[in-house]
Amino acid sequence: MMLSLFDQFMSPTLLGIPLLAIALSLPWVLYPKPSNRWLNNRLLTLQGWFINRFTQQILQPLSLGGHKWALLLTSLMLFLITLNMLGLLPYTFTPTTQLSLNMAFAVPLWLATVIIGARNQPTHALAHLLPEGTPTPLIPVLIIIETISLFIRPLALGVRLTANLTAGHLLIQLIATAAFVLLPLMPAVALLTAILLFLLTLLEVAVAMIQAYVFVLLLSLYLQENV
């Protein structure tokens, strides 16, 4: 039973070839490219409005140096939202439930923010490891704690995204299985379970978007500390 529950999180293969690369390349095919015409269609207008609003929201607290990351952060946001939303469709695979993939996103971007801070303002970057006014006996302990918290950041980014999506998918599968089992035995209870499943699916749609936003938002906050 436990194996069947977690089978959905295994990377699918076809003739021994992993299909993860196809799942990762699919979001770039779905979005329409802006046209050179004077009048765009409604989908392109909505897409442009969303990108502009998100870029303003993320880059507003950043200095001008952090605005260079606008294209990267916006692209990452759209990419994660699309992967998370496509994973809610039946008979699909969600790549962002793999911790290795999320860590591959989190570690290089977090490391880039740390390197930027160490290169541009090394004194300010090292000052984060020791709060002002710390008593002398606590200095070694606080430096160790702040260093550990610094290196835990990418792990927290990856685990947060993986855990939220995995828990949601498992809960949907459990409630859907319960609804099918209860249908011939107790139809009224099965109907209530199906309603709960519908509400949970709507919640998972919101979670898929919110978790992608939180991932990029935390990256922008790390960038704000080092720019």
Side-chain angles (χ1 to χ4, degrees), residues 4-10 80-98 102 161-177 197 200-201 203-209 211:
S4 63
L5 281 178
F6 288 92
D7 269 349
Q8 59 177 317
F9 303 114
M10 297 176 62
L80 290 178
I81 284 182
T82 309
L83 288 179
N84 296 346
M85 297 290 287
L86 289 177
L88 294 174
L89 297 176
Y91 303 104
T92 55
F93 170 68
T94 312
T96 44
T97 55
Q98 306 294 311
N102 296 333
L161 183 58
T162 303
N164 281 283
L165 295 180
T166 302
H169 283 65
L170 282 176
L171 197 55
I172 286 177
Q173 183 174 0
L174 287 172
I175 295 179
T177 304
L197 178 62
L200 180 62
T201 304
L203 177 63
E204 281 304 308
V205 171
V207 168
M209 294 186 289
Q211 288 303 317

mmCIF file of all heavy atoms in Angstrom, residues 4-10 80-98 102 161-177 197 200-201 203-209 211:
data_model
loop_
_atom_site.group_PDB
_atom_site.id
_atom_site.type_symbol
_atom_site.label_atom_id
_atom_site.label_comp_id
_atom_site.label_asym_id
_atom_site.label_seq_id
_atom_site.Cartn_x
_atom_site.Cartn_y
_atom_site.Cartn_z
ATOM 1 N N SER A 4 2.392 1.793 -3.423
ATOM 2 C CA SER A 4 1.485 2.320 -4.432
ATOM 3 C C SER A 4 1.209 3.803 -4.216
ATOM 4 O O SER A 4 0.973 4.533 -5.164
ATOM 5 C CB SER A 4 0.177 1.522 -4.414
ATOM 6 O OG SER A 4 -0.474 1.680 -3.167
ATOM 7 N N LEU A 5 1.229 4.244 -2.955
ATOM 8 C CA LEU A 5 1.000 5.661 -2.685
ATOM 9 C C LEU A 5 2.141 6.515 -3.224
ATOM 10 O O LEU A 5 1.918 7.598 -3.766
ATOM 11 C CB LEU A 5 0.851 5.892 -1.184
ATOM 12 C CG LEU A 5 -0.508 5.552 -0.560
ATOM 13 C CD1 LEU A 5 -0.465 5.792 0.935
ATOM 14 C CD2 LEU A 5 -1.615 6.356 -1.200
ATOM 15 N N PHE A 6 3.350 6.049 -3.091
ATOM 16 C CA PHE A 6 4.506 6.856 -3.474
ATOM 17 C C PHE A 6 4.994 6.549 -4.889
ATOM 18 O O PHE A 6 5.990 7.116 -5.327
ATOM 19 C CB PHE A 6 5.655 6.645 -2.474
ATOM 20 C CG PHE A 6 5.403 7.279 -1.137
ATOM 21 C CD1 PHE A 6 4.818 6.561 -0.117
ATOM 22 C CD2 PHE A 6 5.729 8.605 -0.911
ATOM 23 C CE1 PHE A 6 4.577 7.148 1.118
ATOM 24 C CE2 PHE A 6 5.488 9.206 0.315
ATOM 25 C CZ PHE A 6 4.909 8.472 1.325
ATOM 26 N N ASP A 7 4.290 5.657 -5.594
ATOM 27 C CA ASP A 7 4.671 5.370 -6.978
ATOM 28 C C ASP A 7 4.524 6.600 -7.866
ATOM 29 O O ASP A 7 5.240 6.744 -8.861
ATOM 30 C CB ASP A 7 3.818 4.232 -7.537
ATOM 31 C CG ASP A 7 4.473 2.886 -7.303
ATOM 32 O OD1 ASP A 7 5.650 2.875 -6.905
ATOM 33 O OD2 ASP A 7 3.813 1.846 -7.512
ATOM 34 N N GLN A 8 3.573 7.478 -7.523
ATOM 35 C CA GLN A 8 3.325 8.644 -8.370
ATOM 36 C C GLN A 8 4.492 9.623 -8.362
ATOM 37 O O GLN A 8 4.581 10.491 -9.224
ATOM 38 C CB GLN A 8 2.061 9.353 -7.903
ATOM 39 C CG GLN A 8 2.116 9.815 -6.456
ATOM 40 C CD GLN A 8 0.890 10.576 -6.036
ATOM 41 O OE1 GLN A 8 0.396 11.415 -6.773
ATOM 42 N NE2 GLN A 8 0.387 10.288 -4.845
ATOM 43 N N PHE A 9 5.383 9.515 -7.377
ATOM 44 C CA PHE A 9 6.503 10.435 -7.281
ATOM 45 C C PHE A 9 7.774 9.879 -7.918
ATOM 46 O O PHE A 9 8.823 10.533 -7.870
ATOM 47 C CB PHE A 9 6.777 10.782 -5.815
ATOM 48 C CG PHE A 9 5.590 11.362 -5.113
ATOM 49 C CD1 PHE A 9 4.980 10.685 -4.074
ATOM 50 C CD2 PHE A 9 5.068 12.583 -5.499
ATOM 51 C CE1 PHE A 9 3.875 11.210 -3.433
ATOM 52 C CE2 PHE A 9 3.956 13.121 -4.869
ATOM 53 C CZ PHE A 9 3.366 12.430 -3.839
ATOM 54 N N MET A 10 7.690 8.678 -8.500
ATOM 55 C CA MET A 10 8.846 8.108 -9.201
ATOM 56 C C MET A 10 8.952 8.716 -10.589
ATOM 57 O O MET A 10 7.941 8.952 -11.258
ATOM 58 C CB MET A 10 8.710 6.589 -9.289
ATOM 59 C CG MET A 10 8.693 5.882 -7.941
ATOM 60 S SD MET A 10 8.420 4.109 -8.079
ATOM 61 C CE MET A 10 9.854 3.640 -9.040
ATOM 62 N N LEU A 80 8.011 27.475 -12.390
ATOM 63 C CA LEU A 80 7.566 26.676 -11.243
ATOM 64 C C LEU A 80 6.042 26.603 -11.173
ATOM 65 O O LEU A 80 5.480 25.537 -10.871
ATOM 66 C CB LEU A 80 8.125 27.272 -9.952
ATOM 67 C CG LEU A 80 9.635 27.138 -9.741
ATOM 68 C CD1 LEU A 80 10.055 27.818 -8.450
ATOM 69 C CD2 LEU A 80 10.059 25.679 -9.731
ATOM 70 N N ILE A 81 5.369 27.721 -11.453
ATOM 71 C CA ILE A 81 3.900 27.695 -11.433
ATOM 72 C C ILE A 81 3.364 26.707 -12.468
ATOM 73 O O ILE A 81 2.455 25.915 -12.192
ATOM 74 C CB ILE A 81 3.331 29.106 -11.689
ATOM 75 C CG1 ILE A 81 3.465 29.967 -10.440
ATOM 76 C CG2 ILE A 81 1.861 29.041 -12.095
ATOM 77 C CD1 ILE A 81 2.891 31.352 -10.593
ATOM 78 N N THR A 82 3.946 26.728 -13.658
ATOM 79 C CA THR A 82 3.459 25.839 -14.717
ATOM 80 C C THR A 82 3.711 24.379 -14.366
ATOM 81 O O THR A 82 2.836 23.525 -14.553
ATOM 82 C CB THR A 82 4.150 26.181 -16.045
ATOM 83 O OG1 THR A 82 4.035 27.588 -16.286
ATOM 84 C CG2 THR A 82 3.508 25.429 -17.189
ATOM 85 N N LEU A 83 4.895 24.063 -13.837
ATOM 86 C CA LEU A 83 5.184 22.682 -13.440
ATOM 87 C C LEU A 83 4.233 22.218 -12.343
ATOM 88 O O LEU A 83 3.724 21.090 -12.380
ATOM 89 C CB LEU A 83 6.637 22.563 -12.971
ATOM 90 C CG LEU A 83 7.731 22.639 -14.036
ATOM 91 C CD1 LEU A 83 9.097 22.529 -13.390
ATOM 92 C CD2 LEU A 83 7.557 21.534 -15.074
ATOM 93 N N ASN A 84 4.011 23.079 -11.360
ATOM 94 C CA ASN A 84 3.123 22.701 -10.256
ATOM 95 C C ASN A 84 1.688 22.502 -10.725
ATOM 96 O O ASN A 84 0.994 21.576 -10.286
ATOM 97 C CB ASN A 84 3.169 23.762 -9.157
ATOM 98 C CG ASN A 84 4.532 23.882 -8.510
ATOM 99 O OD1 ASN A 84 5.398 23.013 -8.673
ATOM 100 N ND2 ASN A 84 4.747 24.957 -7.780
ATOM 101 N N MET A 85 1.215 23.372 -11.625
ATOM 102 C CA MET A 85 -0.167 23.272 -12.097
ATOM 103 C C MET A 85 -0.354 22.062 -13.010
ATOM 104 O O MET A 85 -1.369 21.363 -12.933
ATOM 105 C CB MET A 85 -0.551 24.546 -12.836
ATOM 106 C CG MET A 85 -0.534 25.797 -11.977
ATOM 107 S SD MET A 85 -1.843 25.836 -10.768
ATOM 108 C CE MET A 85 -3.242 26.165 -11.820
ATOM 109 N N LEU A 86 0.617 21.791 -13.870
ATOM 110 C CA LEU A 86 0.501 20.627 -14.753
ATOM 111 C C LEU A 86 0.513 19.333 -13.953
ATOM 112 O O LEU A 86 -0.077 18.328 -14.372
ATOM 113 C CB LEU A 86 1.652 20.625 -15.768
ATOM 114 C CG LEU A 86 1.600 21.695 -16.855
ATOM 115 C CD1 LEU A 86 2.837 21.623 -17.734
ATOM 116 C CD2 LEU A 86 0.347 21.538 -17.706
ATOM 117 N N GLY A 87 1.195 19.331 -12.806
ATOM 118 C CA GLY A 87 1.225 18.129 -11.990
ATOM 119 C C GLY A 87 -0.099 17.789 -11.347
ATOM 120 O O GLY A 87 -0.278 16.675 -10.845
ATOM 121 N N LEU A 88 -1.059 18.712 -11.339
ATOM 122 C CA LEU A 88 -2.379 18.438 -10.774
ATOM 123 C C LEU A 88 -3.296 17.738 -11.778
ATOM 124 O O LEU A 88 -4.375 17.287 -11.391
ATOM 125 C CB LEU A 88 -3.029 19.740 -10.305
ATOM 126 C CG LEU A 88 -2.340 20.430 -9.122
ATOM 127 C CD1 LEU A 88 -2.993 21.782 -8.842
ATOM 128 C CD2 LEU A 88 -2.393 19.562 -7.880
ATOM 129 N N LEU A 89 -2.904 17.673 -13.039
ATOM 130 C CA LEU A 89 -3.718 16.979 -14.034
ATOM 131 C C LEU A 89 -3.592 15.466 -13.850
ATOM 132 O O LEU A 89 -2.564 14.980 -13.388
ATOM 133 C CB LEU A 89 -3.268 17.374 -15.447
ATOM 134 C CG LEU A 89 -3.431 18.847 -15.820
ATOM 135 C CD1 LEU A 89 -2.860 19.099 -17.209
ATOM 136 C CD2 LEU A 89 -4.886 19.265 -15.760
ATOM 137 N N PRO A 90 -4.629 14.711 -14.195
ATOM 138 C CA PRO A 90 -4.544 13.247 -14.043
ATOM 139 C C PRO A 90 -3.482 12.643 -14.963
ATOM 140 O O PRO A 90 -3.242 13.128 -16.067
ATOM 141 C CB PRO A 90 -5.958 12.770 -14.427
ATOM 142 C CG PRO A 90 -6.822 13.982 -14.310
ATOM 143 C CD PRO A 90 -5.953 15.153 -14.625
ATOM 144 N N TYR A 91 -2.859 11.588 -14.471
ATOM 145 C CA TYR A 91 -1.861 10.819 -15.233
ATOM 146 C C TYR A 91 -0.690 11.691 -15.672
ATOM 147 O O TYR A 91 -0.174 11.558 -16.777
ATOM 148 C CB TYR A 91 -2.498 10.134 -16.449
ATOM 149 C CG TYR A 91 -3.632 9.219 -16.096
ATOM 150 C CD1 TYR A 91 -4.954 9.611 -16.310
ATOM 151 C CD2 TYR A 91 -3.398 7.983 -15.520
ATOM 152 C CE1 TYR A 91 -6.008 8.777 -15.969
ATOM 153 C CE2 TYR A 91 -4.441 7.146 -15.181
ATOM 154 C CZ TYR A 91 -5.740 7.540 -15.403
ATOM 155 O OH TYR A 91 -6.776 6.720 -15.052
ATOM 156 N N THR A 92 -0.300 12.597 -14.809
ATOM 157 C CA THR A 92 0.861 13.439 -15.099
ATOM 158 C C THR A 92 1.889 13.268 -13.987
ATOM 159 O O THR A 92 1.600 12.682 -12.930
ATOM 160 C CB THR A 92 0.473 14.923 -15.204
ATOM 161 O OG1 THR A 92 -0.200 15.324 -14.006
ATOM 162 C CG2 THR A 92 -0.414 15.167 -16.409
ATOM 163 N N PHE A 93 3.069 13.784 -14.235
ATOM 164 C CA PHE A 93 4.166 13.695 -13.278
ATOM 165 C C PHE A 93 4.582 15.119 -12.894
ATOM 166 O O PHE A 93 4.711 15.980 -13.758
ATOM 167 C CB PHE A 93 5.340 12.935 -13.890
ATOM 168 C CG PHE A 93 6.594 12.993 -13.062
ATOM 169 C CD1 PHE A 93 6.662 12.353 -11.834
ATOM 170 C CD2 PHE A 93 7.704 13.681 -13.507
ATOM 171 C CE1 PHE A 93 7.808 12.401 -11.070
ATOM 172 C CE2 PHE A 93 8.850 13.738 -12.756
ATOM 173 C CZ PHE A 93 8.906 13.095 -11.527
ATOM 174 N N THR A 94 4.778 15.332 -11.595
ATOM 175 C CA THR A 94 5.181 16.652 -11.101
ATOM 176 C C THR A 94 6.674 16.641 -10.811
ATOM 177 O O THR A 94 7.100 16.061 -9.808
ATOM 178 C CB THR A 94 4.409 17.025 -9.822
ATOM 179 O OG1 THR A 94 3.022 16.786 -10.029
ATOM 180 C CG2 THR A 94 4.631 18.484 -9.473
ATOM 181 N N PRO A 95 7.500 17.266 -11.645
ATOM 182 C CA PRO A 95 8.951 17.242 -11.385
ATOM 183 C C PRO A 95 9.338 17.935 -10.081
ATOM 184 O O PRO A 95 10.340 17.581 -9.468
ATOM 185 C CB PRO A 95 9.537 17.974 -12.600
ATOM 186 C CG PRO A 95 8.490 17.897 -13.649
ATOM 187 C CD PRO A 95 7.193 17.920 -12.925
ATOM 188 N N THR A 96 8.538 18.922 -9.643
ATOM 189 C CA THR A 96 8.907 19.670 -8.439
ATOM 190 C C THR A 96 8.625 18.897 -7.161
ATOM 191 O O THR A 96 8.874 19.416 -6.066
ATOM 192 C CB THR A 96 8.155 21.008 -8.406
ATOM 193 O OG1 THR A 96 6.782 20.804 -8.759
ATOM 194 C CG2 THR A 96 8.778 21.998 -9.362
ATOM 195 N N THR A 97 8.119 17.659 -7.250
ATOM 196 C CA THR A 97 8.049 16.811 -6.059
ATOM 197 C C THR A 97 9.369 16.089 -5.819
ATOM 198 O O THR A 97 9.492 15.375 -4.816
ATOM 199 C CB THR A 97 6.920 15.771 -6.191
ATOM 200 O OG1 THR A 97 7.111 15.010 -7.395
ATOM 201 C CG2 THR A 97 5.563 16.453 -6.245
ATOM 202 N N GLN A 98 10.328 16.260 -6.718
ATOM 203 C CA GLN A 98 11.649 15.653 -6.553
ATOM 204 C C GLN A 98 12.560 16.636 -5.830
ATOM 205 O O GLN A 98 12.796 17.750 -6.306
ATOM 206 C CB GLN A 98 12.242 15.298 -7.916
ATOM 207 C CG GLN A 98 11.346 14.424 -8.782
ATOM 208 C CD GLN A 98 11.151 13.046 -8.167
ATOM 209 O OE1 GLN A 98 12.105 12.388 -7.777
ATOM 210 N NE2 GLN A 98 9.897 12.610 -8.082
ATOM 211 N N ASN A 102 14.483 20.409 -6.991
ATOM 212 C CA ASN A 102 14.318 21.666 -6.269
ATOM 213 C C ASN A 102 15.639 22.162 -5.690
ATOM 214 O O ASN A 102 15.893 23.367 -5.659
ATOM 215 C CB ASN A 102 13.287 21.483 -5.151
ATOM 216 C CG ASN A 102 11.904 21.173 -5.686
ATOM 217 O OD1 ASN A 102 11.568 21.559 -6.804
ATOM 218 N ND2 ASN A 102 11.101 20.478 -4.916
ATOM 219 N N LEU A 161 9.249 23.427 -0.832
ATOM 220 C CA LEU A 161 8.511 23.206 -2.073
ATOM 221 C C LEU A 161 8.167 21.726 -2.247
ATOM 222 O O LEU A 161 7.034 21.375 -2.584
ATOM 223 C CB LEU A 161 9.343 23.707 -3.258
ATOM 224 C CG LEU A 161 8.700 23.623 -4.640
ATOM 225 C CD1 LEU A 161 7.399 24.404 -4.688
ATOM 226 C CD2 LEU A 161 9.659 24.135 -5.708
ATOM 227 N N THR A 162 9.140 20.848 -1.971
ATOM 228 C CA THR A 162 8.900 19.412 -2.127
ATOM 229 C C THR A 162 7.857 18.907 -1.152
ATOM 230 O O THR A 162 6.931 18.171 -1.535
ATOM 231 C CB THR A 162 10.221 18.640 -1.913
ATOM 232 O OG1 THR A 162 11.205 19.116 -2.823
ATOM 233 C CG2 THR A 162 10.005 17.153 -2.138
ATOM 234 N N ALA A 163 7.958 19.295 0.107
ATOM 235 C CA ALA A 163 7.047 18.778 1.136
ATOM 236 C C ALA A 163 5.612 19.232 0.904
ATOM 237 O O ALA A 163 4.670 18.432 1.043
ATOM 238 C CB ALA A 163 7.534 19.224 2.516
ATOM 239 N N ASN A 164 5.409 20.490 0.548
ATOM 240 C CA ASN A 164 4.051 20.985 0.347
ATOM 241 C C ASN A 164 3.368 20.303 -0.832
ATOM 242 O O ASN A 164 2.192 19.912 -0.748
ATOM 243 C CB ASN A 164 4.070 22.499 0.139
ATOM 244 C CG ASN A 164 4.208 23.271 1.440
ATOM 245 O OD1 ASN A 164 3.255 23.422 2.188
ATOM 246 N ND2 ASN A 164 5.407 23.741 1.722
ATOM 247 N N LEU A 165 4.085 20.147 -1.930
ATOM 248 C CA LEU A 165 3.480 19.510 -3.099
ATOM 249 C C LEU A 165 3.272 18.017 -2.876
ATOM 250 O O LEU A 165 2.243 17.454 -3.264
ATOM 251 C CB LEU A 165 4.364 19.745 -4.322
ATOM 252 C CG LEU A 165 4.482 21.207 -4.765
ATOM 253 C CD1 LEU A 165 5.388 21.321 -5.981
ATOM 254 C CD2 LEU A 165 3.124 21.800 -5.070
ATOM 255 N N THR A 166 4.230 17.357 -2.227
ATOM 256 C CA THR A 166 4.091 15.924 -1.969
ATOM 257 C C THR A 166 2.929 15.645 -1.027
ATOM 258 O O THR A 166 2.137 14.724 -1.256
ATOM 259 C CB THR A 166 5.400 15.368 -1.373
ATOM 260 O OG1 THR A 166 6.480 15.629 -2.267
ATOM 261 C CG2 THR A 166 5.289 13.863 -1.149
ATOM 262 N N ALA A 167 2.805 16.437 0.040
ATOM 263 C CA ALA A 167 1.700 16.237 0.982
ATOM 264 C C ALA A 167 0.343 16.448 0.306
ATOM 265 O O ALA A 167 -0.598 15.684 0.546
ATOM 266 C CB ALA A 167 1.856 17.195 2.163
ATOM 267 N N GLY A 168 0.250 17.456 -0.543
ATOM 268 C CA GLY A 168 -1.006 17.696 -1.238
ATOM 269 C C GLY A 168 -1.385 16.563 -2.176
ATOM 270 O O GLY A 168 -2.548 16.131 -2.221
ATOM 271 N N HIS A 169 -0.415 16.059 -2.932
ATOM 272 C CA HIS A 169 -0.700 14.960 -3.856
ATOM 273 C C HIS A 169 -1.097 13.687 -3.096
ATOM 274 O O HIS A 169 -2.014 12.964 -3.518
ATOM 275 C CB HIS A 169 0.529 14.687 -4.720
ATOM 276 C CG HIS A 169 0.708 15.681 -5.825
ATOM 277 N ND1 HIS A 169 0.975 17.004 -5.587
ATOM 278 C CD2 HIS A 169 0.670 15.550 -7.174
ATOM 279 C CE1 HIS A 169 1.092 17.646 -6.745
ATOM 280 N NE2 HIS A 169 0.908 16.791 -7.715
ATOM 281 N N LEU A 170 -0.418 13.410 -1.995
ATOM 282 C CA LEU A 170 -0.766 12.227 -1.201
ATOM 283 C C LEU A 170 -2.168 12.352 -0.619
ATOM 284 O O LEU A 170 -2.938 11.381 -0.625
ATOM 285 C CB LEU A 170 0.254 12.047 -0.074
ATOM 286 C CG LEU A 170 1.606 11.448 -0.459
ATOM 287 C CD1 LEU A 170 2.522 11.421 0.746
ATOM 288 C CD2 LEU A 170 1.439 10.046 -1.031
ATOM 289 N N LEU A 171 -2.513 13.545 -0.141
ATOM 290 C CA LEU A 171 -3.839 13.735 0.440
ATOM 291 C C LEU A 171 -4.930 13.598 -0.609
ATOM 292 O O LEU A 171 -5.987 12.994 -0.349
ATOM 293 C CB LEU A 171 -3.901 15.114 1.105
ATOM 294 C CG LEU A 171 -5.027 15.362 2.106
ATOM 295 C CD1 LEU A 171 -5.010 14.307 3.196
ATOM 296 C CD2 LEU A 171 -4.902 16.748 2.711
ATOM 297 N N ILE A 172 -4.695 14.121 -1.795
ATOM 298 C CA ILE A 172 -5.675 13.975 -2.878
ATOM 299 C C ILE A 172 -5.861 12.512 -3.243
ATOM 300 O O ILE A 172 -6.995 12.030 -3.428
ATOM 301 C CB ILE A 172 -5.222 14.798 -4.107
ATOM 302 C CG1 ILE A 172 -5.433 16.289 -3.852
ATOM 303 C CG2 ILE A 172 -5.998 14.377 -5.348
ATOM 304 C CD1 ILE A 172 -4.953 17.171 -4.987
ATOM 305 N N GLN A 173 -4.764 11.764 -3.319
ATOM 306 C CA GLN A 173 -4.875 10.346 -3.671
ATOM 307 C C GLN A 173 -5.606 9.563 -2.584
ATOM 308 O O GLN A 173 -6.432 8.693 -2.881
ATOM 309 C CB GLN A 173 -3.486 9.753 -3.894
ATOM 310 C CG GLN A 173 -3.537 8.297 -4.338
ATOM 311 C CD GLN A 173 -2.180 7.751 -4.707
ATOM 312 O OE1 GLN A 173 -1.195 8.455 -4.638
ATOM 313 N NE2 GLN A 173 -2.134 6.488 -5.083
ATOM 314 N N LEU A 174 -5.329 9.845 -1.324
ATOM 315 C CA LEU A 174 -5.995 9.130 -0.233
ATOM 316 C C LEU A 174 -7.493 9.413 -0.225
ATOM 317 O O LEU A 174 -8.317 8.491 -0.074
ATOM 318 C CB LEU A 174 -5.365 9.534 1.102
ATOM 319 C CG LEU A 174 -3.967 8.984 1.393
ATOM 320 C CD1 LEU A 174 -3.398 9.617 2.647
ATOM 321 C CD2 LEU A 174 -3.998 7.471 1.521
ATOM 322 N N ILE A 175 -7.881 10.680 -0.380
ATOM 323 C CA ILE A 175 -9.306 11.019 -0.345
ATOM 324 C C ILE A 175 -10.014 10.478 -1.582
ATOM 325 O O ILE A 175 -11.167 10.003 -1.507
ATOM 326 C CB ILE A 175 -9.473 12.546 -0.226
ATOM 327 C CG1 ILE A 175 -8.927 13.028 1.116
ATOM 328 C CG2 ILE A 175 -10.938 12.942 -0.356
ATOM 329 C CD1 ILE A 175 -9.031 14.514 1.331
ATOM 330 N N ALA A 176 -9.354 10.509 -2.747
ATOM 331 C CA ALA A 176 -9.967 9.945 -3.954
ATOM 332 C C ALA A 176 -10.167 8.438 -3.809
ATOM 333 O O ALA A 176 -11.213 7.893 -4.197
ATOM 334 C CB ALA A 176 -9.097 10.254 -5.165
ATOM 335 N N THR A 177 -9.190 7.741 -3.234
ATOM 336 C CA THR A 177 -9.336 6.301 -3.003
ATOM 337 C C THR A 177 -10.479 6.015 -2.038
ATOM 338 O O THR A 177 -11.272 5.082 -2.246
ATOM 339 C CB THR A 177 -8.018 5.728 -2.448
ATOM 340 O OG1 THR A 177 -6.958 6.042 -3.338
ATOM 341 C CG2 THR A 177 -8.116 4.226 -2.277
ATOM 342 N N LEU A 197 -12.955 16.361 -1.764
ATOM 343 C CA LEU A 197 -11.882 16.209 -2.741
ATOM 344 C C LEU A 197 -11.840 17.389 -3.705
ATOM 345 O O LEU A 197 -10.756 17.886 -4.053
ATOM 346 C CB LEU A 197 -12.068 14.902 -3.516
ATOM 347 C CG LEU A 197 -11.059 14.608 -4.612
ATOM 348 C CD1 LEU A 197 -9.655 14.472 -4.035
ATOM 349 C CD2 LEU A 197 -11.444 13.342 -5.376
ATOM 350 N N LEU A 200 -10.406 20.314 -1.850
ATOM 351 C CA LEU A 200 -8.979 20.119 -1.655
ATOM 352 C C LEU A 200 -8.205 20.367 -2.951
ATOM 353 O O LEU A 200 -7.092 20.895 -2.922
ATOM 354 C CB LEU A 200 -8.711 18.701 -1.147
ATOM 355 C CG LEU A 200 -7.250 18.338 -0.884
ATOM 356 C CD1 LEU A 200 -6.666 19.226 0.210
ATOM 357 C CD2 LEU A 200 -7.108 16.871 -0.506
ATOM 358 N N THR A 201 -8.802 20.003 -4.076
ATOM 359 C CA THR A 201 -8.148 20.261 -5.362
ATOM 360 C C THR A 201 -8.010 21.762 -5.618
ATOM 361 O O THR A 201 -6.973 22.231 -6.094
ATOM 362 C CB THR A 201 -8.942 19.598 -6.504
ATOM 363 O OG1 THR A 201 -9.087 18.205 -6.234
ATOM 364 C CG2 THR A 201 -8.221 19.778 -7.829
ATOM 365 N N LEU A 203 -7.776 23.964 -3.293
ATOM 366 C CA LEU A 203 -6.727 24.393 -2.369
ATOM 367 C C LEU A 203 -5.349 24.079 -2.927
ATOM 368 O O LEU A 203 -4.413 24.883 -2.798
ATOM 369 C CB LEU A 203 -6.926 23.718 -1.008
ATOM 370 C CG LEU A 203 -5.864 24.014 0.059
ATOM 371 C CD1 LEU A 203 -5.855 25.506 0.408
ATOM 372 C CD2 LEU A 203 -6.114 23.177 1.307
ATOM 373 N N GLU A 204 -5.204 22.924 -3.560
ATOM 374 C CA GLU A 204 -3.908 22.547 -4.125
ATOM 375 C C GLU A 204 -3.524 23.435 -5.303
ATOM 376 O O GLU A 204 -2.334 23.664 -5.538
ATOM 377 C CB GLU A 204 -3.936 21.074 -4.555
ATOM 378 C CG GLU A 204 -3.778 20.105 -3.415
ATOM 379 C CD GLU A 204 -2.515 20.361 -2.618
ATOM 380 O OE1 GLU A 204 -1.430 20.444 -3.218
ATOM 381 O OE2 GLU A 204 -2.617 20.500 -1.389
ATOM 382 N N VAL A 205 -4.512 23.912 -6.039
ATOM 383 C CA VAL A 205 -4.214 24.871 -7.107
ATOM 384 C C VAL A 205 -3.624 26.146 -6.513
ATOM 385 O O VAL A 205 -2.628 26.699 -7.011
ATOM 386 C CB VAL A 205 -5.486 25.182 -7.926
ATOM 387 C CG1 VAL A 205 -5.241 26.334 -8.890
ATOM 388 C CG2 VAL A 205 -5.932 23.941 -8.697
ATOM 389 N N ALA A 206 -4.229 26.613 -5.414
ATOM 390 C CA ALA A 206 -3.688 27.795 -4.740
ATOM 391 C C ALA A 206 -2.311 27.515 -4.162
ATOM 392 O O ALA A 206 -1.404 28.358 -4.250
ATOM 393 C CB ALA A 206 -4.656 28.234 -3.633
ATOM 394 N N VAL A 207 -2.120 26.333 -3.576
ATOM 395 C CA VAL A 207 -0.811 25.981 -3.008
ATOM 396 C C VAL A 207 0.256 25.916 -4.095
ATOM 397 O O VAL A 207 1.401 26.350 -3.885
ATOM 398 C CB VAL A 207 -0.907 24.635 -2.252
ATOM 399 C CG1 VAL A 207 0.476 24.095 -1.904
ATOM 400 C CG2 VAL A 207 -1.726 24.800 -0.990
ATOM 401 N N ALA A 208 -0.109 25.391 -5.263
ATOM 402 C CA ALA A 208 0.863 25.298 -6.362
ATOM 403 C C ALA A 208 1.361 26.677 -6.772
ATOM 404 O O ALA A 208 2.556 26.858 -7.039
ATOM 405 C CB ALA A 208 0.216 24.587 -7.556
ATOM 406 N N MET A 209 0.465 27.667 -6.801
ATOM 407 C CA MET A 209 0.878 29.023 -7.159
ATOM 408 C C MET A 209 1.611 29.714 -6.012
ATOM 409 O O MET A 209 2.618 30.395 -6.225
ATOM 410 C CB MET A 209 -0.352 29.835 -7.588
ATOM 411 C CG MET A 209 -0.997 29.333 -8.859
ATOM 412 S SD MET A 209 -2.335 30.395 -9.452
ATOM 413 C CE MET A 209 -3.578 30.055 -8.205
ATOM 414 N N GLN A 211 3.328 28.401 -3.485
ATOM 415 C CA GLN A 211 4.657 27.862 -3.210
ATOM 416 C C GLN A 211 5.685 28.326 -4.233
ATOM 417 O O GLN A 211 6.840 28.570 -3.887
ATOM 418 C CB GLN A 211 4.603 26.329 -3.171
ATOM 419 C CG GLN A 211 3.908 25.778 -1.946
ATOM 420 C CD GLN A 211 4.539 26.263 -0.656
ATOM 421 O OE1 GLN A 211 5.753 26.304 -0.508
ATOM 422 N NE2 GLN A 211 3.699 26.654 0.294
#
